[in-house]
């Protein structure tokens, strides 16, 4: 019954992204560790100051207010992120932050890190290192999901979004393609089946070696899908 209630209330965009990595990751339950949350907290606050030059002490006080238990060692991580972002252009101010968005049609919801008054209309803040080129596939799905929510809410086409890789000081614009939307809808279908109580199969390209649930999954080769993968 709990899974059915989740479906009726809608699916979070983060759960759709998890399902895109591997539906079993969503099925068994995924939650980031505390240190991952702290890294994101640091990157999120640095991002909120990028229209001007971030002041380390000021940003650190804000982070401690949000996460009182954050380990002191993350002060050094904050300094690293600020230094990495030093060369980024300044001046473009965001209009809103932590903006809740929802699509009634798709029955999904999420929160956008920053909104702008002109295109690209929003930014996604990441605490991961940037790929050598382009944007990670999962981040393209994030942009696609937020774009579809905004299109429904605001009645206008949204064709792009910004992805900020704060630890590297790299900001890239994601221009959406039809395949990004198709992949998002496919991942949404997987997430819906998990929420309905179905037991999913392992994804063909699942990162099993880095997954905390690898011992709980069926042994490789036990399922036909595994043998063919």
């Amino acid at each position: 019954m709990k899974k059915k209630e989740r479906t009726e209330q809608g699916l979070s965009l983060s759960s759709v992204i998890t399902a895109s990595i591997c539906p079993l990751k969503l099925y068994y339950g995924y939650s980031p560790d505390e240190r991952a949350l702290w890294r994101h907290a640091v990157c999120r606050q640095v991002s909120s100051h990028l229209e001007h030059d971030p002041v380390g002490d000021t940003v650190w006080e804000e982070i401690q207010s949000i996460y009182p238990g954050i380990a002191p060692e993350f002060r050094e991580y904050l300094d690293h992120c600020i230094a990495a972002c030093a060369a980024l252009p300044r001046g473009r101010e965001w209009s809103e932050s932590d903006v809740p968005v929802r699509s009634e049609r798709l029955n999904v919801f999420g929160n956008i890190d920053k909104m702008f008054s002109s295109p690209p209309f929003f930014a996604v803040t990441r605490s991961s290192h940037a790929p050598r080129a382009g944007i990670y596939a999962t981040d393209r799905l994030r942009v696609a999901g937020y774009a579809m929510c905004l299109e429904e809410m605001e009645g206008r086409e949204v064709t792009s979004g910004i992805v900020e890789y704060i630890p590297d000081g790299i900001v890239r614009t994601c221009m959406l393609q039809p395949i990004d939307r198709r992949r998002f809808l496919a991942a949404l279908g997987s997430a819906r089946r998990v929420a309905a109580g179905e037991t999913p199969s392992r994804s063909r390209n699942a990162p099993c070696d880095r997954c905390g649930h690898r011992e709980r999954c069926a042994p490789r080769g036990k399922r036909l899908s595994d043998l063919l993968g």
Side-chain angles (χ1 to χ4, degrees):
M1 292 298 293
K2 185 177 180 181
K3 292 182 181 297
K4 184 177 180 181
E5 290 171 2
R6 281 172 54 193
T7 304
E8 291 173 349
Q9 294 170 2
L11 289 167
S12 68
L13 289 173
S14 61
S15 69
V16 177
I17 303 306
T18 301
S20 76
I21 299 170
C22 182
L24 280 168
K25 197 175 185 72
L26 179 63
Y27 180 79
Y28 287 125
Y30 169 74
S31 59
D33 61 35
E34 190 173 46
R35 296 181 70 80
L37 291 173
W38 287 342
R39 284 193 297 271
H40 183 74
V42 170
C43 292
R44 180 67 185 79
Q45 288 309 112
V46 171
S47 170
S48 71
H49 288 268
L50 287 183
E51 70 272 27
H52 306 294
D53 291 322
V55 177
D57 289 342
T58 300
V59 179
W60 182 242
E61 288 179 4
E62 294 174 355
I63 293 168
Q64 288 181 307
S65 296
I66 299 170
Y67 287 91
I70 190 169
E73 65 194 78
F74 280 85
R75 179 64 173 83
E76 183 177 349
Y77 179 68
L78 168 63
D79 290 337
H80 164 80
C81 290
I82 290 177
C85 294
L88 288 175
R90 303 293 195 239
R92 192 183 188 212
E93 296 188 3
W94 45 269
S95 57
E96 296 179 82
S97 63
D98 293 316
V99 180
V101 294
R102 183 179 186 89
S103 168
E104 297 294 341
R105 179 174 60 86
L106 299 177
N107 200 25
V108 296
F109 64 91
N111 281 286
I112 290 178
D113 292 313
K114 292 191 298 189
M115 291 283 296
F116 302 97
S117 58
S118 59
F121 291 111
F122 66 94
V124 176
T125 302
R126 304 295 293 144
S127 58
S128 56
H129 289 286
R132 289 188 177 182
I135 295 165
Y136 290 118
T138 50
D139 291 332
R140 296 192 70 88
L141 292 190
R142 286 185 175 89
V143 173
Y146 289 132
M148 286 190 275
C149 287
L150 284 175
E151 286 174 338
E152 184 175 323
M153 293 174 64
E154 300 185 356
R156 60 181 176 185
E157 185 178 13
V158 179
T159 60
S160 62
I162 294 171
V163 181
E164 302 173 336
Y165 296 104
I166 297 298
D168 292 333
I170 292 176
V171 174
R172 291 174 177 157
T173 299
C174 175
M175 302 300 299
L176 289 172
Q177 303 298 324
I179 192 172
D180 299 315
R181 296 171 185 259
R182 288 198 299 270
R183 286 173 174 167
F184 178 86
L185 293 177
L188 175 58
S190 296
R192 283 172 174 167
R193 288 190 290 273
V194 172
E198 294 184 23
T199 303
S201 300
R202 178 177 63 89
S203 292
R204 182 179 299 274
N205 297 314
C208 297
D209 294 340
R210 304 191 305 275
C211 181
H213 298 302
R214 59 183 178 274
E215 300 300 329
R216 302 174 65 182
C217 292
R220 293 189 182 186
K222 186 173 181 179
R223 295 177 178 175
L224 178 60
S225 60
D226 291 333
L227 289 171
L228 296 175

